[in-house]
Amino acid sequence: MASVELPVLKPGDYGSDQDVRWCPGCGDYSILAQMKKVMATLGWPREKTVFVSGIGCSSRFPYYMNTYGMHSIHGRAPAFATGIKSCRPDLNVFVITGDGDALSIGGNHFMHAVRRNVNLNIVLFNNRIYGLTKGQYSPTSELGKVTKSTPMGSIDNPMSPLSLAIGCEATFVARSIDVHIKHLADTLKRAAEHPGVSFVEVYQNCNVFNDGAYKYATDKAVKADNVIEIEHGKPLIFGKNRDKGIRLNGMHPEVVELGKGITEDDLLFHDEQATQPTLAYLLSRMRYPEFPEPIGVLRCVDAPRYDDLLNEQVAQARAEKGEGDLDKLFNSGDTWTVE
Amino acid sequence: MSTEFESETEQSKTVLQIEEATVRFCGDSGDGMQLAGTQLTNTSALAGNDVATFPDFPAEIRAPRGTLAGVSGFQVHFASTDIFTPGETVDALVAMNPAALKTNVADLKAGGVLIANADAFDKKSLDQAGYAENPLEDDSLASYQMFKVPMTDLTRRAVDGLDLSQKEADRCRNFFAMGLAFWMYGRSLDPTLRFIEAKFKKLPAIAEANRRALTAGRNYGETTDAFVSSYKVDKAKLPAGKYRNMTGNQALAWGLMTAAKLSKKDLFLGSYPITPASDILHELSRYKNFGVRTFQAEDEIAAVCSAIGAAYSGHMALTTSSGPGIALKGEAMGLAVMLELPLLVVDVQRGGPSTGLPTKTEQSDLLQVMFGRNGECPMPVIAARSPADCFEVAIEAWRVAARFMTPVMILSDGYLANGSEPWRIVNFDDLEPISIKHPEGPVEGKPFMAYERDEMLARPWAIPGTPGLMHRVGGLEKQDGTGNVSYDPKNHQHMTDTRAQKVRNVAKLIGDQEVMGEPSGDLLVLSWGGPYGSCRTAVTKLQAEGHKVSHAHLRWLNPFPANLGEILGSFKKVLIPELNMGQLSLLIRNQYMVDAVSLNKVQGKPFHVTEIIEKAKTLLP
């Protein structure tokens, strides 16, 4: 019998014939490259994959993937994706969004797609600025940020996308960095394989309007002190010499130095599968410069998925009542005949 | 227990034969007036009458008891003839309290029957309604046949011994009122007894109380000396067939499900609750075994966006709303126009602007649905003319959406949505199937062209999961043919023209406009949507008087039927009655340069036939 194995696809097979038009040096290129690489390892047919995006630089992404795709309207990609996934559970649906798209105009849809646990893969490119509209501050821009629309500095308290997602009880929450390519690829792969909603925040550089926003997390000289790579079941250790860690002091995390009476066993051990989202939320609150910022998977738990439940209800109704019969329905209840 | 009442008892009093009657129940919202009206409607329909109804209720769930603002009413018109409206003036008014009397009595015909719940006319209630004196005790209602019925007391006595609280006992008053009305018009109690049985299955005491109140009302009419005669309305001579009663929202839901089946599609509804459209969501949610998926979205925008996603994925997709929700959906509808995907958008219109009159009817979203989107963004628009017509409109709308790959707007309104009439039951197999073909793969190794067009300018509907047809759609302008993003100035002009022409091409499918009456004459009454019945009745009466008047009722508002210009040109004058300030008039005057005369009304109520006749007569020679 002939082999029925799927053809092996290479990352290049996932590129569309369209010219990529991001600014030279944009962090989006790296995310696109890693996404293609991950796609090739997942073994999914290209035609079963759909990329949905909203508006913004990141949202041009679907045009560059040789899969099915929809470039939709500002902030609403999770709603389109929910419609697709609800009707077609057989499709792998990705939502590509930015910090403005997902958290400002699309905050509502983001929140509801996450809390419903629709089996979507949401990737948020966070450059902490509005790029496409040329440089206004975003919901993740830091206090005091001077931009075209905030000449005296932003007075909006920035939000944490991870905290928001965990607050909505996201079943998979992770963070990575555009230039940390291996970590990014591993994270995207785990997210794609997660049944239920997955949310990945990617720190991404906008070299035109917000260059170096994440220098603390990417600069070789300092990143080891400012970023902590978390892994399930492992203690929270960081630093160039891996001599620092995070310890819980009551309800609060604190940075401690190993040695001088403090051992690994005193540190906080990461449990991405904790039923309660408390630990994941605590990690999501750790911000530079007070803390090293966590990258990796903060939370990964199993929960019922909206699209499955919806289709199970349809199947259940058909099993219980039989396939709908319109003639029977039309003639049900009170009727009368005119001769 | 109930069987002794199941057959119609012999009437011992005079029975007057009449052709038609209009009955209105009114009381506090919470008094069960909508239920009373619905039961009289169904019973009359089952008796073979033609029926038309007009429910009228406040936007508040429970306004303070006894206040003018809290009055809820339900009007039923039933007849032995073919009727098109829920009636103008009322033959019989059942008023449950002073506020209901005050707000409704002006519509009662001179000499009409007024049944008042005398127990509710106490000092406090009279004060709340603003009556200085009890109108039941002075001469102010002398022009009516007034019956003062102590309904509260009689109902309490009827349910005595059932271990109900006084509040529970008093809630049965509407069944007493129904029983009395049923006696007055010689109606069988059976359908309502069946309703009670089903509805209160789990509350046997309440079921028994309602049964008793209903029969007590009927017996009261039969035995008390106050009522000397009852009325009989013969069966209507409707076209032969099997009928059922339907509201517009139910007919629309069933029409949509039928359209799905005709096209071998599962239906997806993305919706957000809003009056008066919510019942479509409620109705469709019940039919998951028909493959219906309903998604109650977080807001109106998510509702339409999820539907567009469903359309892209290959489903028959739909979103339902009312005016304010349609306003929110505007941007996404523009995307659907760009994506050239089939999508149905239902607007059940209500009084506007803004929150306006949520429970009252109006036709003032026509220009919104025609133009309320950014850019040059044409969409076909179809409007239902009566509750039962919603069924066919739903099917026709989907036929067009699927054939032309375009979103289609369906207009209904609060009056059609909640009103009901007999619907002649169709056989599914008699309906014309809707053929939809999805491309199955690339042709001879040629790259797939997502925006390649057929003779009607429709593009192919390739769906995810199909190998070799991977393509990307989006809101940026598309290069014709390839569907690639294009900023080319000439291409944008070309695509704008193409999208407009595609909508105009719909006229090739929808057929010619029909005219009721002579094809030319002194006056054409041109209408759309809910006023169909009033206009039709008015024109029929004018024709009977010998006037050269005809009636054209538009089902498609965009595009107009191909022969409409010719029809308009064949009449000396054109009158356009609309429950708005002249929106169709604006379109007709613009497109056909016809000096049409408008008859406009925005009072939350449908037209009276007399209003149209009076206006028409000012235009006749």
Side-chain angles (χ1 to χ4, degrees), chain A residues 291-321:
Chain A
F291 290 103
E293 293 188 343
I295 63 169
V297 178
L298 279 74
R299 185 163 204 241
C300 179
V301 296
D302 192 38
R305 294 160 288 279
Y306 179 88
D307 40 311
D308 286 349
L309 294 174
L310 176 64
N311 286 285
E312 279 164 22
Q313 282 194 345
V314 171
Q316 188 191 338
R318 281 175 158 151
E320 283 171 9
K321 300 181 190 168

PDB file of all heavy atoms in Angstrom, chain A residues 291-321:
ATOM      1  N   PHE A 291      11.915  43.766  39.620  1.00  0.00           N
ATOM      2  CA  PHE A 291      12.078  42.315  39.502  1.00  0.00           C
ATOM      3  C   PHE A 291      12.607  41.950  38.117  1.00  0.00           C
ATOM      4  O   PHE A 291      12.437  42.709  37.181  1.00  0.00           O
ATOM      5  CB  PHE A 291      10.716  41.617  39.670  1.00  0.00           C
ATOM      6  CG  PHE A 291      10.175  41.674  41.061  1.00  0.00           C
ATOM      7  CD1 PHE A 291       9.158  42.569  41.373  1.00  0.00           C
ATOM      8  CD2 PHE A 291      10.658  40.830  42.049  1.00  0.00           C
ATOM      9  CE1 PHE A 291       8.641  42.621  42.655  1.00  0.00           C
ATOM     10  CE2 PHE A 291      10.134  40.883  43.343  1.00  0.00           C
ATOM     11  CZ  PHE A 291       9.127  41.781  43.650  1.00  0.00           C
ATOM     12  N   PRO A 292      13.166  40.760  38.007  1.00  0.00           N
ATOM     13  CA  PRO A 292      13.389  40.228  36.667  1.00  0.00           C
ATOM     14  C   PRO A 292      12.033  39.822  36.112  1.00  0.00           C
ATOM     15  O   PRO A 292      11.172  39.370  36.866  1.00  0.00           O
ATOM     16  CB  PRO A 292      14.267  39.001  36.919  1.00  0.00           C
ATOM     17  CG  PRO A 292      13.892  38.549  38.294  1.00  0.00           C
ATOM     18  CD  PRO A 292      13.555  39.795  39.057  1.00  0.00           C
ATOM     19  N   GLU A 293      11.822  40.018  34.819  1.00  0.00           N
ATOM     20  CA  GLU A 293      10.517  39.702  34.250  1.00  0.00           C
ATOM     21  C   GLU A 293      10.505  38.255  33.749  1.00  0.00           C
ATOM     22  O   GLU A 293      11.425  37.830  33.047  1.00  0.00           O
ATOM     23  CB  GLU A 293      10.179  40.676  33.121  1.00  0.00           C
ATOM     24  CG  GLU A 293       9.979  42.087  33.673  1.00  0.00           C
ATOM     25  CD  GLU A 293       9.455  43.075  32.653  1.00  0.00           C
ATOM     26  OE1 GLU A 293       9.542  42.779  31.433  1.00  0.00           O
ATOM     27  OE2 GLU A 293       8.964  44.134  33.066  1.00  0.00           O
ATOM     28  N   PRO A 294       9.458  37.503  34.089  1.00  0.00           N
ATOM     29  CA  PRO A 294       9.425  36.099  33.688  1.00  0.00           C
ATOM     30  C   PRO A 294       9.169  35.921  32.199  1.00  0.00           C
ATOM     31  O   PRO A 294       8.349  36.634  31.616  1.00  0.00           O
ATOM     32  CB  PRO A 294       8.264  35.517  34.495  1.00  0.00           C
ATOM     33  CG  PRO A 294       7.401  36.667  34.829  1.00  0.00           C
ATOM     34  CD  PRO A 294       8.284  37.888  34.872  1.00  0.00           C
ATOM     35  N   ILE A 295       9.872  35.014  31.568  1.00  0.00           N
ATOM     36  CA  ILE A 295       9.521  34.548  30.231  1.00  0.00           C
ATOM     37  C   ILE A 295       9.362  33.036  30.309  1.00  0.00           C
ATOM     38  O   ILE A 295       9.925  32.387  31.186  1.00  0.00           O
ATOM     39  CB  ILE A 295      10.544  34.963  29.135  1.00  0.00           C
ATOM     40  CG1 ILE A 295      11.915  34.346  29.407  1.00  0.00           C
ATOM     41  CG2 ILE A 295      10.652  36.478  29.025  1.00  0.00           C
ATOM     42  CD1 ILE A 295      12.868  34.504  28.225  1.00  0.00           C
ATOM     43  N   GLY A 296       8.532  32.527  29.377  1.00  0.00           N
ATOM     44  CA  GLY A 296       8.201  31.095  29.442  1.00  0.00           C
ATOM     45  C   GLY A 296       6.714  30.944  29.720  1.00  0.00           C
ATOM     46  O   GLY A 296       5.951  31.899  29.595  1.00  0.00           O
ATOM     47  N   VAL A 297       6.344  29.746  30.106  1.00  0.00           N
ATOM     48  CA  VAL A 297       4.928  29.444  30.299  1.00  0.00           C
ATOM     49  C   VAL A 297       4.531  29.683  31.752  1.00  0.00           C
ATOM     50  O   VAL A 297       5.013  29.016  32.653  1.00  0.00           O
ATOM     51  CB  VAL A 297       4.629  27.984  29.899  1.00  0.00           C
ATOM     52  CG1 VAL A 297       3.160  27.643  30.144  1.00  0.00           C
ATOM     53  CG2 VAL A 297       4.999  27.753  28.435  1.00  0.00           C
ATOM     54  N   LEU A 298       3.650  30.646  31.976  1.00  0.00           N
ATOM     55  CA  LEU A 298       3.209  30.960  33.330  1.00  0.00           C
ATOM     56  C   LEU A 298       2.105  30.011  33.782  1.00  0.00           C
ATOM     57  O   LEU A 298       1.990  29.679  34.946  1.00  0.00           O
ATOM     58  CB  LEU A 298       2.687  32.410  33.411  1.00  0.00           C
ATOM     59  CG  LEU A 298       3.744  33.507  33.537  1.00  0.00           C
ATOM     60  CD1 LEU A 298       4.449  33.711  32.209  1.00  0.00           C
ATOM     61  CD2 LEU A 298       3.121  34.811  34.017  1.00  0.00           C
ATOM     62  N   ARG A 299       1.282  29.617  32.813  1.00  0.00           N
ATOM     63  CA  ARG A 299       0.124  28.790  33.184  1.00  0.00           C
ATOM     64  C   ARG A 299      -0.216  27.855  32.037  1.00  0.00           C
ATOM     65  O   ARG A 299      -0.194  28.269  30.872  1.00  0.00           O
ATOM     66  CB  ARG A 299      -1.070  29.698  33.479  1.00  0.00           C
ATOM     67  CG  ARG A 299      -2.288  28.933  33.998  1.00  0.00           C
ATOM     68  CD  ARG A 299      -3.302  29.848  34.669  1.00  0.00           C
ATOM     69  NE  ARG A 299      -4.092  29.060  35.606  1.00  0.00           N
ATOM     70  CZ  ARG A 299      -5.420  28.902  35.531  1.00  0.00           C
ATOM     71  NH1 ARG A 299      -6.102  29.518  34.593  1.00  0.00           N
ATOM     72  NH2 ARG A 299      -6.058  28.146  36.418  1.00  0.00           N
ATOM     73  N   CYS A 300      -0.510  26.602  32.371  1.00  0.00           N
ATOM     74  CA  CYS A 300      -0.940  25.649  31.349  1.00  0.00           C
ATOM     75  C   CYS A 300      -1.835  24.618  32.022  1.00  0.00           C
ATOM     76  O   CYS A 300      -1.350  23.696  32.658  1.00  0.00           O
ATOM     77  CB  CYS A 300       0.275  24.978  30.703  1.00  0.00           C
ATOM     78  SG  CYS A 300      -0.183  23.773  29.457  1.00  0.00           S
ATOM     79  N   VAL A 301      -3.139  24.828  31.917  1.00  0.00           N
ATOM     80  CA  VAL A 301      -4.083  23.908  32.559  1.00  0.00           C
ATOM     81  C   VAL A 301      -5.151  23.498  31.552  1.00  0.00           C
ATOM     82  O   VAL A 301      -5.336  24.135  30.525  1.00  0.00           O
ATOM     83  CB  VAL A 301      -4.759  24.557  33.793  1.00  0.00           C
ATOM     84  CG1 VAL A 301      -3.740  24.856  34.870  1.00  0.00           C
ATOM     85  CG2 VAL A 301      -5.521  25.817  33.396  1.00  0.00           C
ATOM     86  N   ASP A 302      -5.831  22.446  31.897  1.00  0.00           N
ATOM     87  CA  ASP A 302      -6.866  21.942  30.998  1.00  0.00           C
ATOM     88  C   ASP A 302      -8.240  22.396  31.502  1.00  0.00           C
ATOM     89  O   ASP A 302      -8.485  22.409  32.694  1.00  0.00           O
ATOM     90  CB  ASP A 302      -6.797  20.410  30.950  1.00  0.00           C
ATOM     91  CG  ASP A 302      -7.652  19.852  29.825  1.00  0.00           C
ATOM     92  OD1 ASP A 302      -7.690  20.484  28.756  1.00  0.00           O
ATOM     93  OD2 ASP A 302      -8.292  18.814  30.034  1.00  0.00           O
ATOM     94  N   ALA A 303      -9.098  22.782  30.575  1.00  0.00           N
ATOM     95  CA  ALA A 303     -10.463  23.185  30.936  1.00  0.00           C
ATOM     96  C   ALA A 303     -11.348  22.994  29.716  1.00  0.00           C
ATOM     97  O   ALA A 303     -10.862  22.948  28.583  1.00  0.00           O
ATOM     98  CB  ALA A 303     -10.469  24.649  31.389  1.00  0.00           C
ATOM     99  N   PRO A 304     -12.656  22.868  29.929  1.00  0.00           N
ATOM    100  CA  PRO A 304     -13.564  22.690  28.783  1.00  0.00           C
ATOM    101  C   PRO A 304     -13.460  23.860  27.807  1.00  0.00           C
ATOM    102  O   PRO A 304     -13.292  25.005  28.215  1.00  0.00           O
ATOM    103  CB  PRO A 304     -14.952  22.657  29.440  1.00  0.00           C
ATOM    104  CG  PRO A 304     -14.708  22.304  30.867  1.00  0.00           C
ATOM    105  CD  PRO A 304     -13.358  22.852  31.211  1.00  0.00           C
ATOM    106  N   ARG A 305     -13.562  23.541  26.519  1.00  0.00           N
ATOM    107  CA  ARG A 305     -13.393  24.538  25.455  1.00  0.00           C
ATOM    108  C   ARG A 305     -14.746  24.908  24.851  1.00  0.00           C
ATOM    109  O   ARG A 305     -15.574  24.040  24.577  1.00  0.00           O
ATOM    110  CB  ARG A 305     -12.464  23.996  24.382  1.00  0.00           C
ATOM    111  CG  ARG A 305     -11.053  23.794  24.904  1.00  0.00           C
ATOM    112  CD  ARG A 305     -10.240  22.836  24.074  1.00  0.00           C
ATOM    113  NE  ARG A 305     -10.651  21.458  24.212  1.00  0.00           N
ATOM    114  CZ  ARG A 305     -10.298  20.651  25.217  1.00  0.00           C
ATOM    115  NH1 ARG A 305      -9.528  21.105  26.187  1.00  0.00           N
ATOM    116  NH2 ARG A 305     -10.731  19.412  25.268  1.00  0.00           N
ATOM    117  N   TYR A 306     -14.949  26.198  24.642  1.00  0.00           N
ATOM    118  CA  TYR A 306     -16.225  26.692  24.140  1.00  0.00           C
ATOM    119  C   TYR A 306     -16.648  26.007  22.844  1.00  0.00           C
ATOM    120  O   TYR A 306     -17.785  25.561  22.705  1.00  0.00           O
ATOM    121  CB  TYR A 306     -16.150  28.213  23.910  1.00  0.00           C
ATOM    122  CG  TYR A 306     -17.445  28.771  23.378  1.00  0.00           C
ATOM    123  CD1 TYR A 306     -18.450  29.182  24.241  1.00  0.00           C
ATOM    124  CD2 TYR A 306     -17.693  28.863  22.005  1.00  0.00           C
ATOM    125  CE1 TYR A 306     -19.654  29.660  23.768  1.00  0.00           C
ATOM    126  CE2 TYR A 306     -18.894  29.337  21.519  1.00  0.00           C
ATOM    127  CZ  TYR A 306     -19.865  29.745  22.401  1.00  0.00           C
ATOM    128  OH  TYR A 306     -21.061  30.214  21.926  1.00  0.00           O
ATOM    129  N   ASP A 307     -15.735  25.920  21.908  1.00  0.00           N
ATOM    130  CA  ASP A 307     -16.092  25.384  20.589  1.00  0.00           C
ATOM    131  C   ASP A 307     -16.467  23.901  20.691  1.00  0.00           C
ATOM    132  O   ASP A 307     -17.401  23.444  20.033  1.00  0.00           O
ATOM    133  CB  ASP A 307     -14.967  25.601  19.585  1.00  0.00           C
ATOM    134  CG  ASP A 307     -13.593  25.384  20.174  1.00  0.00           C
ATOM    135  OD1 ASP A 307     -13.299  25.932  21.252  1.00  0.00           O
ATOM    136  OD2 ASP A 307     -12.792  24.657  19.568  1.00  0.00           O
ATOM    137  N   ASP A 308     -15.769  23.179  21.569  1.00  0.00           N
ATOM    138  CA  ASP A 308     -16.142  21.768  21.765  1.00  0.00           C
ATOM    139  C   ASP A 308     -17.542  21.662  22.358  1.00  0.00           C
ATOM    140  O   ASP A 308     -18.366  20.871  21.917  1.00  0.00           O
ATOM    141  CB  ASP A 308     -15.165  21.069  22.728  1.00  0.00           C
ATOM    142  CG  ASP A 308     -13.816  20.792  22.073  1.00  0.00           C
ATOM    143  OD1 ASP A 308     -13.731  20.953  20.838  1.00  0.00           O
ATOM    144  OD2 ASP A 308     -12.872  20.438  22.800  1.00  0.00           O
ATOM    145  N   LEU A 309     -17.783  22.476  23.392  1.00  0.00           N
ATOM    146  CA  LEU A 309     -19.069  22.401  24.095  1.00  0.00           C
ATOM    147  C   LEU A 309     -20.216  22.753  23.157  1.00  0.00           C
ATOM    148  O   LEU A 309     -21.263  22.114  23.163  1.00  0.00           O
ATOM    149  CB  LEU A 309     -19.055  23.353  25.303  1.00  0.00           C
ATOM    150  CG  LEU A 309     -18.068  22.992  26.412  1.00  0.00           C
ATOM    151  CD1 LEU A 309     -18.035  24.093  27.474  1.00  0.00           C
ATOM    152  CD2 LEU A 309     -18.431  21.657  27.064  1.00  0.00           C
ATOM    153  N   LEU A 310     -19.980  23.781  22.339  1.00  0.00           N
ATOM    154  CA  LEU A 310     -21.024  24.196  21.395  1.00  0.00           C
ATOM    155  C   LEU A 310     -21.357  23.062  20.432  1.00  0.00           C
ATOM    156  O   LEU A 310     -22.531  22.721  20.221  1.00  0.00           O
ATOM    157  CB  LEU A 310     -20.565  25.434  20.611  1.00  0.00           C
ATOM    158  CG  LEU A 310     -21.498  25.934  19.516  1.00  0.00           C
ATOM    159  CD1 LEU A 310     -22.818  26.416  20.102  1.00  0.00           C
ATOM    160  CD2 LEU A 310     -20.853  27.082  18.738  1.00  0.00           C
ATOM    161  N   ASN A 311     -20.321  22.448  19.887  1.00  0.00           N
ATOM    162  CA  ASN A 311     -20.566  21.379  18.917  1.00  0.00           C
ATOM    163  C   ASN A 311     -21.083  20.110  19.587  1.00  0.00           C
ATOM    164  O   ASN A 311     -21.852  19.359  18.985  1.00  0.00           O
ATOM    165  CB  ASN A 311     -19.307  21.129  18.098  1.00  0.00           C
ATOM    166  CG  ASN A 311     -19.089  22.244  17.094  1.00  0.00           C
ATOM    167  OD1 ASN A 311     -19.783  22.312  16.088  1.00  0.00           O
ATOM    168  ND2 ASN A 311     -18.188  23.170  17.384  1.00  0.00           N
ATOM    169  N   GLU A 312     -20.701  19.914  20.849  1.00  0.00           N
ATOM    170  CA  GLU A 312     -21.271  18.783  21.587  1.00  0.00           C
ATOM    171  C   GLU A 312     -22.762  18.978  21.819  1.00  0.00           C
ATOM    172  O   GLU A 312     -23.539  18.028  21.764  1.00  0.00           O
ATOM    173  CB  GLU A 312     -20.559  18.607  22.938  1.00  0.00           C
ATOM    174  CG  GLU A 312     -19.241  17.851  22.821  1.00  0.00           C
ATOM    175  CD  GLU A 312     -18.374  18.008  24.064  1.00  0.00           C
ATOM    176  OE1 GLU A 312     -18.925  18.330  25.142  1.00  0.00           O
ATOM    177  OE2 GLU A 312     -17.147  17.834  23.953  1.00  0.00           O
ATOM    178  N   GLN A 313     -23.172  20.227  22.068  1.00  0.00           N
ATOM    179  CA  GLN A 313     -24.605  20.486  22.257  1.00  0.00           C
ATOM    180  C   GLN A 313     -25.379  20.187  20.971  1.00  0.00           C
ATOM    181  O   GLN A 313     -26.482  19.647  21.015  1.00  0.00           O
ATOM    182  CB  GLN A 313     -24.851  21.945  22.685  1.00  0.00           C
ATOM    183  CG  GLN A 313     -24.555  22.188  24.153  1.00  0.00           C
ATOM    184  CD  GLN A 313     -25.115  23.512  24.654  1.00  0.00           C
ATOM    185  OE1 GLN A 313     -25.482  24.381  23.868  1.00  0.00           O
ATOM    186  NE2 GLN A 313     -25.173  23.666  25.963  1.00  0.00           N
ATOM    187  N   VAL A 314     -24.791  20.563  19.837  1.00  0.00           N
ATOM    188  CA  VAL A 314     -25.441  20.280  18.555  1.00  0.00           C
ATOM    189  C   VAL A 314     -25.565  18.768  18.363  1.00  0.00           C
ATOM    190  O   VAL A 314     -26.640  18.252  18.021  1.00  0.00           O
ATOM    191  CB  VAL A 314     -24.660  20.927  17.389  1.00  0.00           C
ATOM    192  CG1 VAL A 314     -25.195  20.460  16.044  1.00  0.00           C
ATOM    193  CG2 VAL A 314     -24.740  22.455  17.477  1.00  0.00           C
ATOM    194  N   ALA A 315     -24.484  18.054  18.658  1.00  0.00           N
ATOM    195  CA  ALA A 315     -24.503  16.594  18.501  1.00  0.00           C
ATOM    196  C   ALA A 315     -25.497  15.959  19.468  1.00  0.00           C
ATOM    197  O   ALA A 315     -26.245  15.055  19.109  1.00  0.00           O
ATOM    198  CB  ALA A 315     -23.098  16.027  18.730  1.00  0.00           C
ATOM    199  N   GLN A 316     -25.509  16.473  20.687  1.00  0.00           N
ATOM    200  CA  GLN A 316     -26.417  15.949  21.711  1.00  0.00           C
ATOM    201  C   GLN A 316     -27.877  16.177  21.305  1.00  0.00           C
ATOM    202  O   GLN A 316     -28.721  15.288  21.445  1.00  0.00           O
ATOM    203  CB  GLN A 316     -26.117  16.630  23.038  1.00  0.00           C
ATOM    204  CG  GLN A 316     -26.868  16.043  24.219  1.00  0.00           C
ATOM    205  CD  GLN A 316     -26.745  16.919  25.464  1.00  0.00           C
ATOM    206  OE1 GLN A 316     -25.809  17.716  25.588  1.00  0.00           O
ATOM    207  NE2 GLN A 316     -27.680  16.789  26.376  1.00  0.00           N
ATOM    208  N   ALA A 317     -28.161  17.382  20.800  1.00  0.00           N
ATOM    209  CA  ALA A 317     -29.545  17.686  20.378  1.00  0.00           C
ATOM    210  C   ALA A 317     -29.958  16.758  19.245  1.00  0.00           C
ATOM    211  O   ALA A 317     -31.089  16.270  19.205  1.00  0.00           O
ATOM    212  CB  ALA A 317     -29.653  19.141  19.948  1.00  0.00           C
ATOM    213  N   ARG A 318     -29.017  16.491  18.337  1.00  0.00           N
ATOM    214  CA  ARG A 318     -29.336  15.601  17.217  1.00  0.00           C
ATOM    215  C   ARG A 318     -29.557  14.180  17.707  1.00  0.00           C
ATOM    216  O   ARG A 318     -30.429  13.465  17.220  1.00  0.00           O
ATOM    217  CB  ARG A 318     -28.212  15.645  16.177  1.00  0.00           C
ATOM    218  CG  ARG A 318     -28.310  16.890  15.294  1.00  0.00           C
ATOM    219  CD  ARG A 318     -27.142  17.018  14.342  1.00  0.00           C
ATOM    220  NE  ARG A 318     -27.497  17.865  13.211  1.00  0.00           N
ATOM    221  CZ  ARG A 318     -26.631  18.604  12.530  1.00  0.00           C
ATOM    222  NH1 ARG A 318     -25.349  18.592  12.840  1.00  0.00           N
ATOM    223  NH2 ARG A 318     -27.029  19.339  11.527  1.00  0.00           N
ATOM    224  N   ALA A 319     -28.742  13.770  18.697  1.00  0.00           N
ATOM    225  CA  ALA A 319     -28.880  12.412  19.224  1.00  0.00           C
ATOM    226  C   ALA A 319     -30.203  12.264  19.967  1.00  0.00           C
ATOM    227  O   ALA A 319     -30.874  11.239  19.868  1.00  0.00           O
ATOM    228  CB  ALA A 319     -27.713  12.090  20.151  1.00  0.00           C
ATOM    229  N   GLU A 320     -30.585  13.302  20.702  1.00  0.00           N
ATOM    230  CA  GLU A 320     -31.789  13.197  21.525  1.00  0.00           C
ATOM    231  C   GLU A 320     -33.064  13.392  20.720  1.00  0.00           C
ATOM    232  O   GLU A 320     -34.061  12.713  20.942  1.00  0.00           O
ATOM    233  CB  GLU A 320     -31.748  14.220  22.662  1.00  0.00           C
ATOM    234  CG  GLU A 320     -30.821  13.800  23.794  1.00  0.00           C
ATOM    235  CD  GLU A 320     -30.620  14.923  24.817  1.00  0.00           C
ATOM    236  OE1 GLU A 320     -31.323  15.948  24.736  1.00  0.00           O
ATOM    237  OE2 GLU A 320     -29.742  14.745  25.682  1.00  0.00           O
ATOM    238  N   LYS A 321     -33.052  14.355  19.814  1.00  0.00           N
ATOM    239  CA  LYS A 321     -34.288  14.705  19.103  1.00  0.00           C
ATOM    240  C   LYS A 321     -34.287  14.228  17.656  1.00  0.00           C
ATOM    241  O   LYS A 321     -35.290  14.372  16.966  1.00  0.00           O
ATOM    242  CB  LYS A 321     -34.477  16.226  19.111  1.00  0.00           C
ATOM    243  CG  LYS A 321     -34.569  16.827  20.494  1.00  0.00           C
ATOM    244  CD  LYS A 321     -34.772  18.339  20.389  1.00  0.00           C
ATOM    245  CE  LYS A 321     -34.619  19.023  21.734  1.00  0.00           C
ATOM    246  NZ  LYS A 321     -34.525  20.480  21.600  1.00  0.00           N
TER     247      LYS A 321
END
